Amino acid sequence: MSQSGPSLTPAGIIVGAQGVRGLVRVKTFTETSDVIADYGPLFNESGERQFSVTLVEARPTVAVIKIDGVASREAAEALKGLMLHIPRSALPEVDEDEFYHADLVGLVAETETEGRIGVVSSLDDFGAGELIEIALDAGGAPLVCPFTMAVVPIVDIAGGKVVLNPPAGLWPRETKAKHTGPAKSGKRKRPKPVEGEGDLA
C-alpha cells in the first residue's frame, strides 16, 4: 500500500554502492544513522515504491544498508540519488519548540537583508556542534553555519523557511542580519526519535 507524499519524511539519500553484493551507502537525516531501518519499509518520494531494508553498518552520518531485491553493485549504483522516506506516522510527536532535522531539509533559507539565498541541504554533527548547510542559489560551495539560536534565529516549518544570521567571515557579502537580545539557548533542541525515530567514503 503506497503512502501519500505529504505523510512522508526524508530519512536519507542513497549516495553510492558499497562492495559488490548490492549494499548501498545512505547519507542519513535521522538523528543517528543506526536507526534508519527501525521504522519498517522505506519509500520513495511519491510513496509508490517500497523498500525493505536491513542495517549492515552505521557510521557517523552514513548507514550501509541492504535493500531486499538488490543483489549486485550495478543494481545498487542504479539507486544512487534516490531519496528514502519514512512514514510521518511512525515518528513520535515533538514539542512545539522542537522539530526533526529531516523537516528542515529542503526549506528555503533567507537572511533578513537579502531574502532567499538558497535551500537547506543538510544538518550534521561531527562532534563539535551541529552545523546547518545551505545549497546557495548562486551556486558554488555551500554555506555552512553553526546551528544555534544566534545564527538561525527563526525556524518556520509551517512557512517553509529558516532565517539566517551568518557570522562575519562565513558569508561573502554584507548580509549579516540584525539579532537583538541574547539567545535563549546556545544550541537548538533536537528530539531523540529512536524511541517510538554526502558523496561520502
Side-chain angles (χ1 to χ4, degrees), residues 54-80:
T54 303
L55 178 69
V56 175
E57 180 184 354
R59 302 171 185 173
T61 60
V62 173
V64 178
I65 64 173
K66 169 66 177 174
I67 300 178
D68 286 2
V70 178
S72 68
R73 184 176 181 86
E74 292 72 23
E77 287 286 3
L79 296 175
K80 185 176 180 179

Side-chain angles (χ1 to χ4, degrees), residues 22-181:
L23 302 181
V24 297
R25 289 178 290 119
V26 178
K27 180 178 181 181
T28 59
F29 304 142
T30 49
E31 183 179 9
T32 57
S33 61
D34 60 343
V35 302
I36 192 169
D38 288 358
Y39 313 102
L42 302 178
F43 298 84
N44 67 344
E45 185 174 6
S46 68
E48 296 174 351
R49 296 181 64 188
Q50 177 175 311
F51 307 90
S52 295
V53 303
T54 303
L55 178 69
V56 175
E57 180 184 354
R59 302 171 185 173
T61 60
V62 173
V64 178
I65 64 173
K66 169 66 177 174
I67 300 178
D68 286 2
V70 178
S72 68
R73 184 176 181 86
E74 292 72 23
E77 287 286 3
L79 296 175
K80 185 176 180 179
L82 176 67
M83 190 79 75
L84 298 172
H85 297 72
I86 55 181
R88 182 69 193 201
S89 59
L91 303 178
E93 293 298 319
V94 295
D95 294 335
E96 185 177 348
D97 60 347
E98 296 181 323
F99 39 79
Y100 287 106
H101 279 196
D103 292 338
L104 274 68
V105 175
L107 295 187
V108 171
E110 302 179 351
T111 69
E112 291 182 2
T113 56
E114 293 199 4
R116 174 177 171 142
I117 60 171
V119 297
V120 178
S121 56
S122 71
L123 286 100
D124 296 300
D125 189 340
F126 299 107
E130 294 172 330
L131 300 172
I132 184 170
E133 179 177 298
I134 310 299
L136 300 173
D137 291 341
L143 174 66
V144 180
C145 298
F147 189 52
T148 63
M149 288 290 293
V151 177
V152 191
I154 297 174
V155 174
D156 184 358
I157 301 293
K161 70 176 182 179
V162 298
V163 177
L164 300 171
N165 181 22
L170 290 184
W171 185 239
R173 299 190 294 277
E174 291 298 324
T175 59
K176 190 170 171 57
K178 295 179 180 179
H179 181 71
T180 58

